[in-house]
Amino acid sequence: MAASAERAAAIGGDNYAPVQTGDHARAVSLPPEALQPPAQVAAPAGLDNLAGRPGLFVGRTSELDRLDTALAAPGGAVVQAVHGLGGIGKSTLAAHWAATRPHGCAPVRWLTADTPAGVQQGLADLAGALQPALIGALPIEALAEWALQWLASHTGWLLILDNVNDPADIAPLLARTHAQGRFLITSRLATAWYHIPTVVRLDVLDEADALDLLTRIATHAAPGRDLDGAIDLCAELGQLPLAVEQAAAYLAQNPLTTPRAYLALLGQYPAAMYRAGGVGITPPERTIARIWHLTLNQITTLQPQAADLLRLLAWYAPDQIPATLLDGGPADPPALNAAFGVLTAYSMIRPAADTLSVHRLVQAVARTPDPGDAHRTPALIEQAREQATACLHSALPADWEDPATWLTWRTLLPHIDALADHTTPDTDTSTTARILNLTALFLDNQGLTARAISHLQRALEDRLRVLGEDHPDALVSRSNLAGAYQSAGDLGRAIPLFEQTLTDRLRVLGEDHPDILSSRNRLAYAYWSAGDLGRAIPLFEQTLTDRLRVLGEDHPFTLSSRNNLAGAYQSAGDLGRAIPLHEQTLTDRLRVLGEDHPDTLTSRSNLAYAYELAGDLGRAIPLFEQTLEDTVRVLGEDHPDALVSRSNLAYAYRSAGDLGRAIPLHEQTLTDRLRVLGEDHPDTLTSRSNLAYAYELAGDLGRAIPLFEQTLEDTVRVLGRDHPLTHAVRRARADALAKRAVDGPKWW
């Protein structure tokens, strides 16, 4: 019976087919129509089994158009998320396109293709839908084979292969049937589809579409509800469709919770909120936390270090993460490369040249501890934070004043800020404090004093907590913070902090320690900046005397003290002592440091300025011209010292009444400072003010006054109302306005 039945099933001559149950075969009677060859079975209407809810679809116009074009041509198309993230909307796009676009395919069948078993089950379901009599009569393998024969012998159908994890799982299906119908493949894999003719890379929603999705779900039952903070919430979620939908479902279920309140909950209870959706709207297995947990399970099966790398990257800014930040990471180079490759393949990261990007929400989840998630235990999160801090510290340039390092600093700044934002001071280490301290020195050098002060305040708190108030590094932090206050023009906070630092260093280090001499010098300079020459000059004199005794007359710090004292004499109007001291300092620096040393160039410029103040422009201008020429030759035309030299020469031309040479040089200096330093750097603001004053001297109030007004607005915004430069610009603007009132048109 079994043998004849098997033959009958093969040739369609009898109405029996074998079905294996346990250890025995039994014969099952089938109606004759069930034994039709697959090629002779027509597809009845109503076989479509699309998943998803097209009614919730927003945006994606260009992607839908590409699918129209791709699916109209021979071959297949793959919908692939750029980031490969669960939740980017691959399946939703496929379902919406299949349900709403005029593709002309029938039947349209949805197969969950994440495993070989899933593919087989989808094919078996297709066989059962086409020939219901086969259900229960044939094993799943035979049903799948029957469906393959049907697909190979019919045209016009569309199979959506959803969530393919391995191209090998669908390779037999494509090989046997692709010439007859159409395939639409969705996958998190980014690097597996080079053989597919058309790849549609899916990115996050744009801002308007994300807001539309949030609004439609959240207001479905309450159209007039408060949506304050909706735009900010979508931005925080990185415009990721599933995350926006999950948040909107939560809001719909909690009508008293506004988007802004949800943001606060997300900040305070991130682990719980990444798991929370809306009952009946967001199934537990479709939350962001669950989706990415499953993805990481797959990734770590292939490469265990991949999760370590992702947790490390979570502490940086999401975009343009330099590859150098992976040096010294969680694995040796071969394992690190393997982890990098797996994360790229699953689009958890996106490489580009020497940088990479990670979706901001992936980062947020990856750095959020969750004891219930084996990939995000508190210990693993802490380990990743410490590794990210160490890698960032190793990547910092040693010098913040050398323009050759500025590009590196600017590349690292977003990631330094991100690390500071994503951590709390109580988790900071001495390494964190060092990163913040060095970064602040660079920011202060660039004129970004507000950001510098913020980092220095935290670095000081860290060092006081970790090292104690008398540790040398804590004293350095206090001195640097005082210097940043001084740069910001806040001498009311700078001077007491310098005084405290000097007192503490005297107590801890002793009278002749080099740091004591440095503190005394910086305090004297702060007094000088405050116009308190009565305290500045004696302190400069004491510092010079001590450095001569402790360091010797040729030490660079001794030469700096001599230079500073000469400047203080000069500010006091005592050019009789200032000029000889400037001349001596220049002579000594030429002998000790050489003619091309930056400090030598500074001394030459300072001496030229002293000559200018003395009215000796015959010696001042040639010296300024020589200094500019040498500075450009030694440091380059874009070095800040070269820009200062150019500004000084322009000022000297102006003092000599030579506005024909002064104004073009002021204009060039402003243009260069805008390009090199940026529009908000204090030196750029100074150049703008100098140019405005030159226009005023030339009688061109039509250009001078608007430039003064723009400069005043910018100095107030950048430096504050009480900064000395702001006061100077305000006075200059008032003088120009007064001159216009006096010299303006008169009506007779």
Side-chain angles (χ1 to χ4, degrees):
M1 174 77 69
S4 63
E6 183 174 351
R7 178 177 179 275
I11 64 174
D14 203 334
N15 62 342
Y16 291 95
V19 177
Q20 192 74 23
T21 60
D23 295 328
H24 304 282
R26 64 181 177 85
V28 177
S29 178
L30 295 177
E33 63 270 18
L35 299 177
Q36 286 181 280
Q40 297 178 13
V41 176
L47 286 189
D48 294 358
N49 69 333
L50 285 176
R53 290 172 288 164
L56 289 174
F57 192 84
V58 297
R60 308 297 199 196
T61 301
S62 63
E63 291 88 349
L64 291 168
D65 290 343
R66 286 203 65 196
L67 286 179
D68 286 341
T69 301
L71 270 294
V78 56
V79 177
Q80 174 197 324
V82 171
H83 302 288
L85 303 178
I88 199 77
K90 307 177 296 296
S91 301
T92 302
L93 176 71
H96 182 80
W97 180 85
T100 64
R101 307 294 271 207
H103 48 73
C105 295
V108 177
R109 296 292 297 185
W110 187 282
L111 277 68
T112 300
D114 54 348
T115 63
V119 175
Q120 186 179 67
Q121 185 62 58
L123 290 171
D125 291 343
L126 172 60
L130 287 163
Q131 192 59 277
L134 297 176
I135 300 174
L138 296 180
I140 188 171
E141 297 86 357
L143 288 171
E145 174 60 28
W146 193 96
L148 283 171
Q149 293 181 26
W150 187 91
L151 292 168
S153 58
H154 290 76
T155 61
W157 46 263
L158 170 66
L159 289 190
I160 301 172
L161 306 178
D162 185 48
N163 198 25
V164 175
N165 286 320
D166 187 346
D169 296 344
I170 61 171
L173 171 59
L174 296 179
R176 290 183 59 181
T177 62
H178 77 279
Q180 304 304 317
R182 295 289 184 268
F183 291 96
L184 182 55
I185 305 166
T186 75
S187 177
R188 299 175 192 178
L189 296 175
T191 58
W193 308 111
Y194 56 89
H195 60 290
I196 298 291
T198 302
V199 176
V200 179
R201 290 179 171 86
L202 200 59
D203 209 334
V204 296
L205 296 170
D206 63 31
E207 182 179 302
D209 290 333
L211 181 61
D212 183 28
L213 179 61
L214 181 86
T215 302
R216 287 167 62 180
I217 298 174
T219 63
H220 179 71
R225 67 171 298 167
D226 183 2
L227 288 181
D228 173 54
I231 293 176
D232 293 338
L233 175 56
C234 290
E236 179 65 24
L237 298 174
Q239 328 293 354
L240 188 72
L242 179 60
V244 173
E245 182 178 335
Q246 181 178 331
Y250 184 95
L251 294 173
Q253 185 177 290
N254 298 274
L256 298 182
T257 301
T258 66
R260 195 164 302 285
Y262 184 96
L263 268 173
L265 290 170
L266 192 60
Q268 192 170 2
Y269 308 103
M273 298 307 292
Y274 292 136
R275 294 193 301 263
V279 175
I281 302 177
T282 310
E285 69 274 9
R286 288 291 297 166
T287 63
I288 286 296
R290 182 62 179 165
I291 288 288
W292 290 342
H293 174 82
L294 295 175
T295 300
L296 279 176
N297 281 346
Q298 295 172 331
I299 289 174
T300 52
T301 299
L302 298 172
Q303 177 50 250
Q305 284 82 12
D308 297 331
L309 178 58
L310 189 63
R311 285 189 294 268
L312 182 151
L313 294 171
W315 298 97
Y316 301 140
D319 298 316
Q320 296 184 322
I321 302 173
T324 54
L325 288 184
L326 303 182
D327 294 342
D332 56 51
L336 190 63
N337 288 338
F340 186 89
V342 171
L343 290 175
T344 301
Y346 275 84
S347 294
M348 297 297 277
I349 62 176
R350 187 197 303 181
D354 294 329
T355 66
L356 56 96
S357 301
V358 188
H359 189 279
R360 61 184 294 122
L361 198 56
V362 171
Q363 290 181 305
V365 174
R367 66 173 177 265
T368 299
D370 186 345
D373 189 334
H375 302 299
R376 297 188 287 125
T377 65
L380 288 174
I381 299 301
E382 181 180 0
Q383 179 186 46
R385 184 187 67 244
E386 292 176 353
Q387 287 177 334
T389 303
C391 289
L392 191 51
H393 178 259
S394 297
L396 294 181
D399 190 346
W400 61 89
E401 294 180 303
D402 183 357
T405 68
W406 289 0
L407 179 59
T408 301
W409 275 108
R410 289 166 180 164
T411 299
L412 294 176
L413 271 179
H415 309 292
I416 295 167
D417 290 340
L419 180 66
D421 290 341
H422 297 327
T423 56
T424 54
D426 62 294
T427 64
D428 288 350
T429 64
S430 58
T431 304
T432 312
R434 179 168 170 77
I435 291 172
L436 295 173
N437 183 72
L438 292 173
T439 302
L441 294 175
F442 170 74
L443 291 170
D444 192 30
N445 177 265
Q446 298 292 300
L448 303 172
T449 52
R451 291 172 63 188
I453 287 170
S454 176
H455 283 329
L456 285 168
Q457 288 172 331
R458 181 164 166 179
L460 176 57
E461 292 172 5
D462 292 343
R463 284 174 165 171
L464 290 173
R465 175 177 53 83
V466 175
L467 304 174
E469 63 180 354
D470 288 343
H471 192 280
D473 287 351
L475 299 176
V476 167
S477 280
R478 186 175 289 123
S479 179
N480 289 342
L481 178 57
Y485 287 148
Q486 182 175 346
S487 296
D490 189 353
L491 295 171
R493 286 199 288 180
I495 289 175
L497 201 53
F498 275 133
E499 291 172 333
Q500 179 188 352
T501 304
L502 176 57
T503 299
D504 290 343
R505 279 178 164 167
L506 283 167
R507 174 174 52 81
V508 174
L509 302 176
E511 181 75 26
D512 289 341
H513 192 281
D515 287 355
I516 297 295
L517 305 180
S518 177
S519 276
R520 191 173 285 126
N521 183 70
R522 297 193 75 175
L523 177 57
Y525 190 80
Y527 289 151
W528 181 15
S529 298
D532 189 352
L533 294 172
R535 288 198 288 179
I537 289 176
L539 201 52
F540 274 134
E541 291 172 334
Q542 179 187 353
T543 305
L544 176 57
T545 299
D546 291 342
R547 280 180 164 169
L548 283 167
R549 175 174 51 81
V550 174
L551 303 176
E553 63 178 353
D554 288 343
H555 193 283
F557 286 175
T558 305
L559 301 179
S560 292
S561 280
R562 188 175 289 123
N563 177 75
N564 292 340
L565 179 57
Y569 288 153
Q570 181 176 302
S571 294
D574 190 352
L575 295 176
R577 287 199 289 179
I579 289 177
L581 202 52
H582 276 309
E583 291 172 334
Q584 180 188 352
T585 304
L586 176 57
T587 299
D588 290 343
R589 281 178 162 168
L590 283 167
R591 175 176 52 81
V592 174
L593 304 175
E595 64 179 353
D596 288 343
H597 192 281
D599 288 354
T600 305
L601 300 176
T602 297
S603 276
R604 189 176 288 125
S605 180
N606 290 342
L607 178 58
Y609 184 57
Y611 288 153
E612 180 182 352
L613 291 177
D616 190 353
L617 293 173
R619 286 200 290 178
I621 289 177
L623 201 52
F624 275 132
E625 291 172 332
Q626 179 189 352
T627 303
L628 175 57
E629 179 181 343
D630 291 342
T631 303
V632 168
R633 173 177 55 80
V634 173
L635 301 177
E637 63 180 354
D638 287 343
H639 192 281
D641 288 357
L643 302 179
V644 168
S645 285
R646 189 172 289 120
S647 179
N648 289 341
L649 179 57
Y651 195 92
Y653 287 152
R654 193 176 77 193
S655 297
D658 189 352
L659 295 175
R661 287 199 288 178
I663 288 177
L665 204 52
H666 276 309
E667 291 172 333
Q668 179 186 352
T669 304
L670 175 57
T671 299
D672 291 342
R673 279 178 164 166
L674 284 166
R675 174 174 51 81
V676 175
L677 303 176
E679 63 180 352
D680 289 343
H681 193 282
D683 288 356
T684 306
L685 301 176
T686 298
S687 276
R688 191 175 283 127
S689 178
N690 289 341
L691 178 58
Y693 186 60
Y695 287 152
E696 179 186 349
L697 290 177
D700 190 352
L701 295 177
R703 287 199 288 178
I705 290 175
L707 197 53
F708 274 132
E709 290 174 340
Q710 178 189 352
T711 306
L712 179 59
E713 179 181 339
D714 291 341
T715 52
V716 169
R717 173 177 55 82
V718 175
L719 302 175
R721 294 183 175 277
D722 295 329
H723 193 277
L725 181 58
T726 305
H727 288 310
V729 174
R730 187 179 289 117
R731 288 193 299 270
R733 171 180 171 272
D735 291 343
L737 288 172
K739 184 176 292 187
R740 183 173 68 179
V742 172
D743 298 338
K746 297 178 173 58
W747 303 95
W748 300 94

